[in-house]
Amino acid sequence: NVLPACLLLALVLLAPALSAQQERGLVFNLDIGELCMQSIQCKSSCCHRVSGLSMGRCAPKAAEFEECTPKNIYGIYYKCPCESGLTCDADKTIVGSITNTNFGVCKDPQGF
């Protein structure tokens, strides 16, 4: 009888800590402006850096008519990918992705 009571007490005490960990973590589920190393860590799915020497920070995805980069395998961007429903009209060649010159503009694919 003591073991189930201790187990129940432990679950009650750990529940707030577990729910808080799901909302925001130290490594994943990071908010805009927090330091990151890969886009998968960010709620926005964009880890942005200004230059090759700067630290990455979580940033919002690019809106319509803003500069963007197509999604890449590196997981860190100089220009964030577009918001959902928009496409990045950019140079999608392998040379552009290697040299980080594949910037474009977010456009609505169903727009005029």
Side-chain angles (χ1 to χ4, degrees):
N1 289 344
V2 175
L3 183 60
C6 290
L7 184 59
L8 180 62
L9 180 62
L11 288 174
V12 169
L13 293 174
L14 287 175
L18 292 175
S19 67
Q21 189 176 27
Q22 289 176 353
E23 290 174 16
R24 185 187 166 285
L26 294 173
V27 178
F28 291 100
N29 216 14
L30 302 176
D31 290 321
I32 302 296
E34 293 190 275
L35 292 173
C36 56
M37 294 177 66
Q38 292 286 320
S39 290
I40 195 169
Q41 294 177 275
C42 305
K43 286 180 185 177
S44 66
S45 299
C46 179
C47 185
H48 171 267
R49 67 178 176 190
V50 178
S51 70
L53 299 176
S54 65
M55 297 290 294
R57 291 192 178 270
C58 295
K61 287 193 172 180
E64 191 170 12
F65 306 118
E66 289 185 349
E67 285 189 299
C68 59
T69 303
K71 288 190 176 185
N72 63 40
I73 59 170
Y74 306 122
I76 193 158
Y77 298 95
Y78 292 106
K79 307 284 182 191
C80 287
C82 299
E83 293 175 340
S84 181
L86 301 175
T87 58
C88 188
D89 187 18
D91 173 19
K92 294 180 180 165
T93 63
I94 191 72
V95 174
S97 65
I98 291 171
T99 59
N100 278 323
T101 58
N102 58 342
F103 304 132
V105 176
C106 291
K107 294 184 178 178
D108 184 350
Q110 298 177 355
F112 298 100

